[in-house]
Amino acid sequence: MRVEEIVPQYYDSNIYVINQKIVIDTGMTTDYVLHHMEQIMPIENIELIILTHAHYDHSGCAGELLKRSGAKLAIHEADAPFLNDDYLSSALNFGSKIACPPADILYRGGEKIPIGFNENGEEEYLEVIHTPGHTVGCICLYEKNSKTLFSGDTVFSDGGIGRSDFKISAPEKMTSSISKLRELDIENLCPGHGHTTLGNANRSIELSEMMSSRMNP
Ligand SMILES: [Zn+2]
Ligand SMILES: [Zn+2]
């Protein structure tokens, strides 16, 4: 799996580009994101945009990228209704209004999204893991060969966890969602904000679980 990261501006989410055709989260500063994405590949090459959840700092540029690429938009079914809600998506908190079309693909958890083949000719995929807490429809995406987890705002590097005090949060589910991640072998953590962890990310998830059980008993 080839991963390129667009380092965000301001409060933008991190943006990850997989194999020059799949985008995980889009940030919200459109001109900046488009400029940096064009350094990676032509925008028209994007086939799929996956949102880890419906918050505007992750979905703000999706509308423009979809318009320019014809890509499909995917999100967990529980967060799909918030995509176009200026209040529940937190767009108003960022002084913006949303212009995101409805999602084309709705996940429920457990899906395997094909992303291409590795150098041994084996098919690689991202597995969708439903991790409610920060929002009811948060997902993480796991790539088994490289043991990489894209964690959105569920967990961050060095034991961080996402806020769970939004109207669309499910604080009572946060710790069990992180415990689900602990069943995976995670080498690399690519979170929705802050720096990535390359190597032994299991330890980071373990710390997040401890933090969550203290904050969301
Ligand atoms: Zn975020
Ligand atoms: Zn969020």
Side-chain angles (χ1 to χ4, degrees), residues 19 31 38 41 46 69 75 82 100 120 149-150 195 214:
N19 294 343
D31 289 346
E38 273 160 358
M41 79 272 168
I46 305 172
S69 66
I75 191 167
F82 314 136
C100 186
N120 301 321
L149 186 78
F150 300 91
H195 65 89
R214 231 174 286 149

Side-chain angles (χ1 to χ4, degrees), residues 40-62:
I40 298 172
M41 79 272 168
I43 305 284
E44 309 87 70
N45 287 16
I46 305 172
E47 294 174 7
L48 177 66
I49 297 173
I50 306 171
L51 302 175
T52 57
H53 60 295
H55 275 155
Y56 184 74
D57 53 325
H58 298 250
S59 66
C61 296

Side-chain angles (χ1 to χ4, degrees), residues 53 55 57-58 134-135 153 166 193:
H53 60 295
H55 275 155
D57 53 325
H58 298 250
H134 177 69
T135 69
D153 287 1
F166 296 99
H193 297 278

